Amino acid sequence: MRIDPFLGNSARQLSRLIVKVAVVLLLGGFLAAMLVRQAPGFGVDEEELDSRLNQQSVQALRRAHATEENAGRFYLSYLGGLLHGDLGVSLSLHQPVRKLLSERFPETMKSVALGLAFGWTAGLALAMITVMFRLWLVDLLTTLLASLLLCIPAAALALLFVLTRAPGRLALGFIVFPKVFSYARNLLAKSAALPHVLTARAKGLDSIRIMAWHVLPVAGPQLLALAGVSVSVAFAAAIPIEVLCDLPGIGQLAWKAALARDLALLVNITMIVTLITLVVNAAAEFAGHPHTSSKP
Amino acid sequence: MDRQRSLMLRCLLLLTMVMGAMANAQTGSQLRFCIGSDPKTLNPLLVDDDASDTVRYLTGGVLMRLNRSTQQMEPELATSWQVSRDGKSISFVVRHNVHFSDGTPFSIEDVAYTIEQLMDPSLHSPTGDAFRSGEGKITTRILGKDQIIVTFPAPIAGVEKLFDQVAMMSAHSTQKEKAVLGPYYLAEDKAGYYLLLKRNPNYWKHDSAGRQLPYIDSVRLDIQQNRDIELLRLLRGEIDLIDSLDAEYYDKLAAQAPKMVFDAGVSLDAEQMWFNQVPGSPLPAYKKAWFASTNFRRAISESINRDDLARVVFRGHARPAVSWLSPANRFWFNARLTAHPFDPTAAKKMLAQDGFYLQNGALHDHQGHLVEFSVITNAGNKYRERMATMIQQDLAEIGIRLNVVTLDFASLIERITRSFDYEACLLGFVNNDLDPDSQMTVWLSSGENHIWNPAQKTPATAWEAEIDRLMRTQASSMDVNKRKQAVDRVQEIAWQQEPFLYLVNKDAMSAVSTDLHNVHPVVLRPQVYWNIEQLAKGREGPDH
Amino acid sequence: MKIVRVASILFLTVIIGAALAANLIAPASYAHQFRDLPDAAPSSHHLLGTDELGRDRFARLLYGTRVSLTLAPFAALLSALLAGLIGGTAGFVGGWYRSFVMAATDLFLSMPWLFLLITVRALLPLNISPLASVVITFALLGCLGWAGAARVICAEAQVLRNSEFILMAHATGSSGWRLLWRQLIPNLRPVLFAQFWISVPIFILTEANLGILGLGVAEPLPSWGTLLGELENLTSLTAQPWRLVPLVLLIVTVSCFHLVLQKEELWTVNEV
């Protein structure tokens, strides 16, 4: 029986991808554990400053982190638990990590999805308009808009949303937008300067057609790469927005875990973010693969 | 006939209004306010954070309660109590016909069970540790249907006040800590969003008219960390109170809604600074010598303009601090003491006594080292950051270079409790307890919280040895006047030696919606809802 | 457009000049606290009023410009160069090397670098000078901020690798580093500029947020980041709109950077 070469190739690529994801994931978890463990303030509990506690209780508080003293041993034990679906227990929040993540993950996914949708729609649309019309006034205004959003601190942006009673999640979109816009504008502009585009313009094709058929496809792989990166940007932006707007997602959880040096939570969150980053970027690469050519 | 009919109609109208008021007060009213985070625990014996303490206060039934307004103990589930002459035991007589929220009857066995659980050393309960006066077991003995004696291995000064924190748990209920005796029970816990407490249908308290308390049907605690957003929500009417308001927000709110803000006066809290005096710390020897010198500490203290700190940083809603006890602690505060004066000239003289000298505007020690050190404080607390910056300018006037370093709290705690890799620290002390006995681990030289030089095997200085003696005296004495004398003397020594440079005592400020009635904000926490059962909402409150 | 570019250059010159001449222009030291005038409104003595400790805002803005305008572009340049080098070589070489580098980049993007920063702070002496602290902070930001752009640059480099002018350069004997340096890097400029332009305000704001770790600018040295931190008190802005001046200045400066650097970059044909 003959195996379709395309299918065989795809299967090989998929298996390589799976191995790559697994290796990077394991490495990511371990590095996160090492970073957190070595950081000052690890194993310290602010409850130690409670003047009611006697010496034995203070010592007990310090011993509570004994299982995490050795990052390597902790990580191996964590991986063992992971095989049984046990993600460990958060020492700072006194709850199973699995429960915390399952409660908060949908919240962050909603925020990230909304943020990306808004950021990309607005960013790409404005970039296309800027490139299509090539008017200095349009370029100036869009530059000022993007600059404004880049320069506003996340805290001020979050508070602005609360003041205007707009959903805090949208603030993510305002953080993603200027980055998408900036890259997309430059990429599209570069593609718009290619010879075949100039030829198409000279032949009288309208701007929209040129953009849709000749500019976008050429910038496709880079835009897809940007899409992959923007997911990481959105997740990173979710942290301050969730903290400031009190949205109970994993961004807020990550911040609390970071302040408390909660090893179990941080390793899990890092691995989730790594997995999402890998999968999204792999998908972006795969989607962009047939288009790695500058031919019109 | 017309007169009779008119009278009947008026009575009917009055009855309708009263019934409406009762109905309104009893059904549908909800109190809403914010807590900074999810409670870490719902076990009342393990409470050690503000959010958990709030839930415990609202749901827990205690044997006796500290009235936050009068600062006196009042009976609750215990109708009476008696402390023995030697201070080693306390007996309670408990109420009859009281039930937990799930209907389980409350009995003397529950008191014994709770205390046994609390005193279990393996539990490491902060509330329980406050009772551990010495080596040996704490025992309970049931004397009858409604009487119990709790015996401690050593006397505990002010023991009755400690029971304000001990919420009774049921020995028999299947709901464990969810079965409560307080005015509310936890009905819903939406992690990250809110907790909903509903009125306890079996709550034993009634008002003078025989109406079951509390007046407000439910309490919703929204999880909200951001103080700006909390203030916005109060102004919009989305929440009803802010229990503890910062100076900046007080002024903002006072400008917009003056009737909503309350300043109950100076609180029990203090902001303070101290120097690292740990002999084994990784500081150079000359710096250790500076910090160990009383003259040096006094000089720094008198170079700090406390009035400016209170006026500029806290906008007048604070006053210069004097001692480790605040003037709000009316009985225990040593009223003979006053805040250290702002006197840079005297400060320079004190430094000169230790051989410090000025050269080109910069202070040097007798070995020629430039006097420069750092002060760490927790990042994100803008009041402390501002105080540190103001102190930086004050010390620059006498030629000292102060570096302000803000750190995240975990890093800061590690430096002050483990590595001792710091020079000076600026932090606040949140004091919820009136009795100075609660600060034993701070003042005993062997204490873990003797923060400038903790866990000493023997007192490093004569004055610390004297403080040890005085604190032990007050802890073992049942004579309140003798205790007062000892505590006054400790305050005097602390004032002279300045292991802590007490900076300011902040005011206790709060904000309340005008829709809330029977509100009497106080200095002790909780400042607003301390009389939660008496609070009422809407126009149909019990006093309308 | 030319007028806009010239105006941008002039503006940047004025800003940089004012920052350099802060000692001469500023009405008071950036650290001096006029304690009788906290939160004062603008006046003839204090052009932008005073902050919550009574410090002259105009003076702090001038000195803060010096710090931020020097160091943020330096850090942005560093991150852009690293992104260009790492992403560019990965895309150009391709194969297993590209896969390895991109996997490392994804890993880099996911790591909680907060703890590295906390550890760096712990290793530095507490009495480090504010200037040294802020230089180290921006250097760290530059070293950590390259990963996102590297991916985009890699994709761009991959496309360029198969482009005609590269093939032609190959055919004429150009290869290796020469090809990379003379042909590839110049054509990556649009993406590198985008990275640079985005990074400047991000690093300024991030520097302020790093204060929570003890990094960033220490008191009393001001920076745009710390001045912008006042915007978190949004509710008082209507009463004190002059607090928006640092934000307006940053927006205009960042826009000017973009307009000056953009030139005709966007509209040129690929160089051969």
Side-chain angles (χ1 to χ4, degrees):
Chain A
M1 195 173 80
R2 219 171 124 255
I3 297 168
D4 187 329
F6 174 74
L7 279 176
N9 202 33
S10 296
R12 260 198 305 278
Q13 279 187 339
L14 188 64
S15 56
R16 256 189 242 143
L17 177 67
I18 290 169
V19 168
K20 176 181 129 177
V21 166
V23 168
V24 174
L25 209 56
L26 287 173
L27 192 60
F30 178 69
L31 285 174
M34 289 302 293
L35 271 173
V36 175
R37 174 61 191 88
Q38 297 308 320
F42 179 80
V44 159
D45 201 320
E46 64 177 272
E47 284 179 35
E48 289 179 37
L49 297 181
D50 189 334
S51 58
R52 293 174 300 172
L53 290 177
N54 60 20
Q55 203 174 22
Q56 288 79 19
S57 296
V58 170
Q59 296 304 325
L61 271 175
R62 293 181 181 184
R63 280 196 306 272
H65 294 267
T67 51
E68 298 177 347
E69 274 297 315
N70 185 312
R73 211 175 298 144
F74 162 81
Y75 191 58
L76 284 172
S77 152
Y78 162 74
L79 289 177
L82 191 61
L83 291 171
H84 299 104
D86 176 15
L87 302 183
V89 175
S90 159
L91 286 181
S92 63
L93 299 174
H94 308 293
Q95 291 189 60
V97 172
R98 192 175 166 151
K99 177 173 175 274
L100 287 167
L101 292 177
S102 60
E103 280 168 1
R104 290 169 175 264
F105 196 70
E107 195 62 47
T108 301
M109 288 313 291
K110 275 186 236 168
S111 303
V112 167
L114 192 64
L116 285 171
F118 179 83
W120 267 93
T121 307
L124 193 58
L126 272 180
M128 282 163 56
I129 290 169
T130 309
V131 171
M132 275 193 317
F133 294 104
R134 296 163 59 102
L135 294 170
W136 68 268
L137 186 64
V138 171
D139 195 38
L140 179 67
L141 290 172
T142 50
T143 298
L144 284 172
L145 176 64
S147 301
L148 170 70
L149 292 173
L150 276 173
C151 297
I152 292 184
L157 198 62
L159 206 52
L160 196 63
F161 273 78
V162 174
L163 265 172
T164 52
R165 294 181 202 251
R169 295 177 210 284
L170 266 183
L172 258 176
F174 281 77
I175 293 175
V176 170
F177 155 73
K179 293 163 183 125
V180 168
F181 167 73
S182 172
Y183 277 111
R185 175 182 52 184
N186 286 15
L187 286 167
L188 292 175
K190 188 168 176 299
S191 300
L194 288 171
H196 70 279
V197 175
L198 297 175
T199 307
R201 204 174 280 128
K203 284 191 172 174
L205 255 63
D206 63 85
S207 301
I208 295 172
R209 227 176 122 129
I210 291 173
M211 178 60 65
W213 290 103
H214 300 287
V215 176
L216 274 173
V218 171
Q222 299 91 310
L223 288 173
L224 284 166
L226 179 63
V229 167
S230 67
V231 173
S232 304
V233 168
F235 268 101
I239 296 177
I241 295 300
E242 284 181 4
V243 169
L244 295 160
C245 294
D246 279 307
L247 297 168
I250 56 171
Q252 192 194 67
L253 192 64
W255 182 245
K256 286 182 184 175
L259 292 178
R261 312 290 196 268
D262 194 320
L263 192 56
L265 260 179
L266 286 164
V267 166
N268 278 289
I269 291 173
T270 304
M271 288 178 80
I272 288 171
V273 173
T274 308
L275 180 64
I276 292 172
T277 306
L278 286 167
V279 166
V280 167
N281 285 328
E285 273 182 33
F286 180 75
H289 192 67
H291 304 288
T292 52
S293 164
S294 63
K295 288 196 173 66
Chain B
M1 188 66 175
D2 280 337
R3 214 192 250 178
Q4 274 181 344
R5 198 189 290 176
S6 166
L7 187 63
M8 262 177 66
L9 276 170
R10 269 189 234 149
C11 287
L12 203 62
L13 188 65
L14 190 63
L15 189 64
T16 314
M17 281 171 67
V18 166
M19 283 177 69
M22 283 173 64
N24 228 23
Q26 293 219 355
T27 56
S29 58
Q30 185 176 76
L31 180 73
R32 293 179 72 158
F33 62 96
C34 298
I35 51 178
S37 61
D38 286 277
K40 283 190 185 169
T41 179
L42 294 173
N43 182 338
L45 305 182
L46 292 174
V47 165
D48 201 21
D49 62 292
D50 288 344
S52 306
D53 196 32
T54 301
V55 174
R56 179 178 64 181
Y57 191 88
L58 295 171
T59 61
V62 294
L63 293 175
M64 44 235 250
R65 176 71 82 199
L66 175 68
N67 183 312
R68 267 59 173 172
S69 178
T70 61
Q71 297 186 8
Q72 298 299 319
M73 296 305 293
E74 289 177 350
E76 285 275 314
L77 291 168
T79 53
S80 64
W81 67 90
Q82 177 114 29
V83 180
S84 64
R85 288 175 75 95
D86 63 1
K88 282 188 181 180
S89 64
I90 181 168
S91 64
F92 298 98
V93 175
V94 302
R95 269 173 219 284
H96 297 295
N97 297 324
V98 176
H99 292 80
F100 283 89
S101 52
D102 66 343
T104 314
F106 166 65
S107 70
I108 204 75
E109 278 108 24
D110 298 314
V111 179
Y113 169 76
T114 303
I115 291 170
E116 276 155 27
Q117 291 292 302
L118 183 69
M119 304 307 173
D120 180 359
S122 63
L123 193 67
H124 298 293
S125 158
T127 311
D129 278 1
F131 286 96
R132 272 180 255 285
S133 51
E135 297 298 319
K137 219 169 164 270
I138 295 164
T139 59
T140 56
R141 192 157 55 101
I142 295 173
L143 295 179
K145 219 168 53 154
D146 56 5
Q147 198 173 359
I148 186 169
I149 288 185
V150 184
T151 307
F152 306 96
I156 303 177
V159 65
E160 55 268 34
K161 287 204 171 67
L162 297 176
F163 281 93
D164 174 80
Q165 310 283 309
V166 183
M168 293 295 116
M169 292 172 69
S170 173
H172 305 293
S173 169
T174 52
Q175 287 192 10
K176 301 277 177 230
E177 63 255 17
K178 288 186 181 165
V180 294
L181 288 162
Y184 298 95
Y185 71 94
L186 181 62
E188 201 180 327
D189 179 2
K190 198 158 180 211
Y193 285 99
Y194 65 85
L195 289 97
L196 181 65
L197 311 178
K198 286 188 177 165
R199 65 163 51 248
N200 178 356
N202 298 321
Y203 192 47
W204 58 274
K205 267 197 202 171
H206 294 75
D207 67 5
S208 53
R211 194 190 320 174
Q212 194 193 26
L213 295 174
Y215 294 124
I216 291 177
D217 278 321
S218 60
V219 178
R220 185 172 143 138
L221 306 173
D222 288 341
I223 315 294
Q224 179 82 65
Q225 205 179 22
N226 190 300
R227 305 308 295 265
D228 282 290
I229 296 176
E230 188 184 21
L231 189 69
L232 262 171
R233 294 184 67 190
L234 179 72
L235 285 167
R236 283 181 189 162
E238 291 170 18
I239 58 173
D240 298 302
L241 64 96
I242 298 176
D243 195 62
S244 181
L245 196 59
D246 287 345
E248 198 177 319
Y249 296 116
Y250 180 95
D251 285 348
K252 241 186 257 186
L253 197 53
Q256 293 180 58
K259 285 188 180 164
M260 284 174 87
V261 292
F262 294 87
D263 185 342
V266 71
S267 70
L268 295 180
D269 302 339
E271 297 292 320
Q272 64 214 35
M273 188 172 139
W274 71 88
F275 292 98
N276 182 358
Q277 296 185 56
V278 176
S281 70
L283 300 182
Y286 64 89
K287 284 196 177 177
K288 288 183 192 176
W290 299 348
F291 302 150
S293 157
T294 305
N295 271 348
F296 182 84
R297 297 193 300 272
R298 286 285 295 265
I300 301 296
S301 179
E302 293 190 16
S303 305
I304 296 171
N305 193 329
R306 289 170 173 78
D307 285 317
D308 276 0
L309 293 180
R311 184 175 54 81
V312 176
V313 176
F314 294 97
R315 297 163 186 240
H317 299 293
R319 53 205 78 178
V322 178
S323 128
W324 50 287
L325 296 169
S326 147
N329 194 338
R330 296 172 214 144
F331 181 75
W332 295 105
F333 172 64
N334 186 342
R336 291 192 301 273
L337 299 172
T338 56
H340 283 277
F342 172 56
D343 193 347
T345 311
K348 283 179 194 168
K349 282 193 186 133
M350 272 188 267
L351 289 167
Q353 283 171 15
D354 273 11
F356 289 89
Y357 62 93
L358 274 170
Q359 189 178 31
N360 299 326
L363 195 72
H364 292 75
D365 70 5
H366 68 281
Q367 292 174 327
H369 297 110
L370 180 70
V371 180
E372 178 183 357
F373 59 90
S374 59
V375 64
I376 59 175
T377 191
N378 59 312
N381 187 312
K382 52 189 170 194
Y383 300 101
R384 287 186 196 140
E385 290 173 20
R386 287 173 193 167
M387 277 197 289
T389 309
M390 289 186 72
I391 292 169
Q392 188 182 46
Q393 175 159 299
D394 286 343
L395 295 186
E397 298 295 317
I398 61 167
I400 292 178
R401 190 164 156 176
L402 180 71
N403 298 311
V404 177
V405 181
T406 55
L407 297 173
D408 71 297
F409 210 44
S411 300
L412 185 141
I413 294 173
E414 200 210 36
R415 283 182 187 261
I416 65 175
T417 60
R418 307 280 178 91
S419 66
F420 305 113
D421 185 12
Y422 74 102
E423 291 166 335
C425 183
L426 195 159
L427 269 187
F429 188 73
V430 172
N431 201 351
N432 289 320
D433 205 327
L434 291 168
D435 199 301
D437 202 51
S438 61
Q439 297 191 40
M440 283 291 279
T441 59
V442 176
W443 291 102
L444 284 181
S445 58
S446 55
E448 291 287 340
N449 284 309
H450 191 73
I451 204 82
W452 68 89
N453 185 2
Q456 296 174 34
K457 294 205 169 31
T458 55
T461 59
W463 60 268
E464 283 173 286
E466 176 63 4
I467 288 180
D468 279 1
R469 188 188 68 76
L470 288 164
M471 288 303 288
R472 289 199 173 100
T473 301
Q474 70 81 29
S476 57
S477 173
M478 290 298 110
D479 180 346
V480 75
N481 292 320
K482 203 173 166 194
R483 290 189 67 207
K484 170 76 174 150
Q485 267 181 353
V487 171
D488 274 358
R489 182 67 192 126
V490 171
Q491 289 178 76
E492 279 166 19
I493 297 172
W495 190 93
Q496 286 155 5
Q497 298 295 333
E498 298 223 67
F500 287 118
L501 276 60
Y502 291 102
L503 300 173
V504 296
N505 293 122
K506 297 180 289 190
D507 281 2
M509 293 170 285
S510 47
V512 183
S513 160
T514 48
D515 212 29
L516 206 57
H517 308 296
N518 283 346
V519 171
H520 306 286
V522 295
V523 154
L524 299 181
R525 287 186 191 86
Q527 291 170 196
V528 175
Y529 60 89
W530 60 274
N531 60 338
I532 183 69
E533 302 128 356
Q534 306 292 332
L535 296 183
K537 247 188 117 167
R539 287 174 4 174
E540 291 85 8
D543 54 353
H544 284 260
Chain C
M1 197 60 179
K2 195 174 176 184
I3 298 169
V4 172
R5 268 199 74 229
V6 167
S8 302
I9 292 169
L10 270 170
F11 181 83
L12 285 174
T13 310
V14 165
I15 289 292
I16 292 167
L20 290 173
N23 294 7
L24 304 166
I25 301 172
S29 159
Y30 60 80
H32 186 82
Q33 298 160 11
F34 295 91
R35 293 183 182 179
D36 291 327
L37 293 170
D39 273 326
S43 64
S44 54
H45 298 293
H46 305 287
L47 291 176
L48 290 176
T50 59
D51 67 6
E52 60 284 334
L53 293 182
R55 296 175 296 192
D56 186 278
R57 282 184 196 275
F58 182 60
R60 289 179 68 73
L61 187 60
L62 284 174
Y63 283 96
T65 304
R66 213 191 251 186
V67 170
S68 299
L69 216 50
T70 317
L71 295 172
F74 153 72
L77 188 65
L78 180 62
S79 79
L81 285 175
L82 283 171
L85 204 64
I86 295 168
T89 50
F92 193 67
V93 171
W96 66 266
Y97 179 73
R98 194 201 73 84
S99 298
F100 175 76
V101 169
M102 286 302 105
T105 305
D106 288 342
L107 187 61
F108 198 92
L109 276 170
S110 315
M111 283 293 106
W113 293 117
L114 184 77
F115 297 100
L116 175 70
L117 295 171
I118 293 173
T119 306
V120 165
R121 186 54 188 102
L123 296 172
L124 296 172
L126 283 175
N127 286 310
I128 192 171
S129 76
L131 189 60
S133 169
V134 75
V135 167
I136 291 168
T137 301
F138 276 108
L140 280 169
L141 288 176
C143 291
L144 296 175
W146 58 267
R151 262 215 160 262
V152 181
I153 290 167
C154 178
E156 174 81 347
Q158 256 190 300
V159 169
L160 288 171
R161 189 167 69 138
N162 299 319
S163 61
E164 282 150 4
F165 70 94
I166 293 286
L167 291 171
M168 199 152 60
H170 252 302
T172 56
S174 194
S175 64
W177 283 105
R178 192 184 157 88
L179 196 66
L180 192 75
W181 189 250
R182 299 292 305 269
Q183 309 299 336
L184 189 72
I185 300 287
N187 282 285
L188 291 175
R189 270 209 296 256
V191 184
L192 289 171
F193 281 138
Q195 164 70 3
F196 175 82
W197 180 64
I198 290 168
S199 298
V200 170
I202 288 175
F203 287 162
I204 287 171
L205 293 173
T206 308
E207 167 269 305
N209 292 332
L210 287 179
I212 202 169
L213 307 176
L215 288 165
V217 163
E219 287 283 3
L221 191 65
S223 69
W224 278 357
T226 51
L227 294 173
L228 286 169
E230 291 187 0
L231 293 184
E232 290 175 26
N233 205 341
L234 210 60
T235 44
S236 62
L237 282 181
T238 42
Q240 298 176 326
W242 52 88
R243 287 186 183 214
L244 287 167
V245 170
L247 177 65
V248 171
L249 189 63
L250 179 61
I251 292 167
V252 176
T253 306
V254 165
S255 305
C256 288
F257 263 122
H258 168 77
L259 292 166
V260 167
L261 291 168
Q262 187 181 283
K263 225 168 82 169
E264 295 90 18
E265 290 299 336
L266 295 184
W267 318 111
T268 52
V269 180
N270 292 328
E271 292 174 22
V272 178

